[in-house]
Amino acid sequence: MPLVIGHRGAPGYLPEHSRSSYRLAISAGVDAVEPDVVPSHDGILVVRHENEIGSTTDVSERPEFAHRRTSKVVDGELLTGWFTEDFTWDELRTLRCRERIPAFRPDSASHDDTEPVLRLREVLDLARAGGAGVVLEIKHAASFARLGFDMAELVDAELRAAGWADATDTLVIESFEPLVLSRLRGRGIRIPLVQLVDSEGTPWDLREREGADAATYASMLTLSGLDALAAEVDGISPDKQLVLAPDERGTVRGPAPFVRAAQQRGLRVFTWTCRPENAFLLPTHRGPGGEAAFGDWRREWAVLRAAGLDGVFVDHPDLGVEFFGSTR
């Protein structure tokens, strides 16, 4: 059975990356939890999905931080808001978590502004205390490098300081950007490394370095692309759409053949993200009640279960553990 990974904790029920969200996921029996990390101004690894935190914290209502609102280009996209790298950790820890998609998850949003932003060390401690593993995602490494932050160095140092540097059975590190994974390997990190694969586009760090010649995500899932990845990383984690391989009507044709091909090359295969709401299901699996209502998620997830994946990311840990099982 695949590892069941609480994606940012249990965001189907509580604001993502909050302490209670992680605790709920661990208590539901997930095999691991998944924190995303971005840096503070003073180099502390903060657990946030993005470095722009205007919609996931109460920073927009904090008058003392109003002057920090600014615009920046992150991975080629112009964003306006508040960014973690402009705050010290002591400032960030005063902020409170908010639900990222309140229109879909109003029950979770009812818990807004009740819990502080966490740093990575706190999530590592929660996971260890609860007997769960960690799948750590490094965000925007190339963009942060231009600002003077070496994400490989920061992650390496934090894992060593926290006693996780040798946690090869309970920790996985992943990123959409292959170059930061390569730098981690070059630093002697023995933790399994996983290449995230989006449904379209090109890794931003490769685009910056190689321009139009950069390898696309799609090319990574060809046989030659998988051969190249097998020499560099320990696994891949594609968008579930790629595994499901729907046709133009949204009818599943998968599991896609690259799953078996990758595993034959010794690569573990994860996928993200299993969510039951209609908004996140293929058209043929959606039901009545609007985008926030649960559709026929079991039918969609059954294809992923049949694919023989090594891990699945879920927003509702209780549903994930019930459907896929758990190794804990």
Side-chain angles (χ1 to χ4, degrees):
M1 65 182 67
L3 295 178
V4 177
I5 304 155
H7 183 237
R8 310 174 202 161
Y13 302 111
L14 293 165
E16 65 186 31
H17 295 313
S18 65
R19 185 179 300 274
S20 63
S21 188
Y22 284 112
R23 282 179 168 164
L24 182 59
I26 293 168
S27 67
V30 297
D31 298 293
V33 293
E34 186 246 11
D36 305 307
V37 295
V38 293
S40 68
H41 183 73
D42 46 349
I44 301 299
L45 290 174
V46 182
V47 180
R48 291 283 90 193
H49 177 54
E50 298 291 343
N51 56 326
E52 199 291 298
I53 53 174
S55 63
T56 61
T57 73
D58 64 343
V59 68
S60 64
E61 296 181 8
R62 299 285 294 274
E64 68 270 35
F65 297 134
H67 66 288
R68 305 276 181 93
R69 188 171 188 268
T70 188
S71 296
K72 297 188 181 188
V73 176
V74 180
D75 292 0
E77 181 181 2
L78 179 63
L79 301 175
T80 297
W82 291 261
F83 296 82
T84 59
E85 65 269 20
D86 296 332
F87 295 77
T88 67
W89 167 240
D90 282 343
E91 291 172 324
L92 289 169
R93 69 196 306 179
T94 70
L95 301 179
R96 296 296 180 262
C97 300
R98 288 186 172 178
E99 169 56 45
R100 187 172 57 87
I101 46 175
F104 293 151
R105 295 171 176 172
D107 289 344
S108 174
S110 70
H111 297 271
D112 282 358
D113 302 345
T114 61
E115 296 187 65
V117 169
L118 300 177
R119 61 181 291 183
L120 175 60
R121 183 73 62 90
E122 293 171 287
V123 177
L124 295 174
D125 290 345
L126 283 170
R128 176 165 283 166
V134 171
V135 179
L136 166 63
E137 182 179 346
I138 299 174
K139 307 289 293 193
H140 307 305
S143 291
F144 287 131
R146 293 199 309 276
L147 299 175
F149 298 98
D150 184 333
M151 291 298 285
E153 180 180 0
L154 291 175
V155 168
D156 185 12
E158 182 75 336
L159 295 179
R160 295 183 190 279
W164 280 73
D166 296 318
T168 54
D169 294 330
T170 54
L171 177 64
V172 171
I173 302 175
E174 61 180 6
S175 180
F176 283 103
E177 296 174 277
L179 299 183
V180 70
L181 298 177
S182 178
R183 289 198 300 275
L184 278 169
R185 189 68 84 207
R187 296 182 65 87
I189 282 284
R190 297 186 296 113
I191 302 300
L193 303 177
V194 169
Q195 173 66 52
L196 285 159
V197 182
D198 213 338
S199 58
E200 58 184 17
T202 302
W204 185 256
D205 58 345
L206 296 184
R207 181 189 290 187
E208 279 195 347
R209 188 181 71 175
E210 301 169 14
D213 295 328
T216 64
Y217 289 116
S219 72
M220 291 180 175
L221 299 182
T222 64
L223 296 183
S224 60
L226 292 171
D227 286 337
L229 285 174
E232 298 293 334
V233 296
D234 304 287
I236 60 173
S237 186
D239 183 337
K240 71 179 174 72
Q241 296 269 15
L242 296 168
V243 179
L244 296 170
D247 61 20
E248 64 277 2
R249 296 185 303 277
T251 301
V252 172
R253 296 178 299 172
F258 73 77
V259 174
R260 182 179 295 273
Q263 291 171 331
Q264 288 173 340
R265 287 158 173 77
L267 291 165
R268 299 164 73 185
V269 182
F270 301 80
T271 198
W272 50 275
T273 302
C274 293
R275 296 170 168 138
E277 294 102 336
N278 283 321
F280 307 111
L281 297 173
L282 293 176
T284 54
H285 296 158
R286 294 171 189 163
E291 290 192 322
F294 286 13
D296 191 1
W297 55 272
R298 290 179 178 85
R299 188 155 62 100
E300 183 167 296
W301 294 13
V303 180
L304 302 176
R305 184 170 58 189
L309 298 165
D310 298 280
V312 293
F313 292 84
V314 300
D315 276 8
H316 297 71
D318 57 333
L319 301 184
V321 170
E322 174 193 353
F323 190 85
F324 293 105
S326 171
T327 63
R328 286 179 62 199

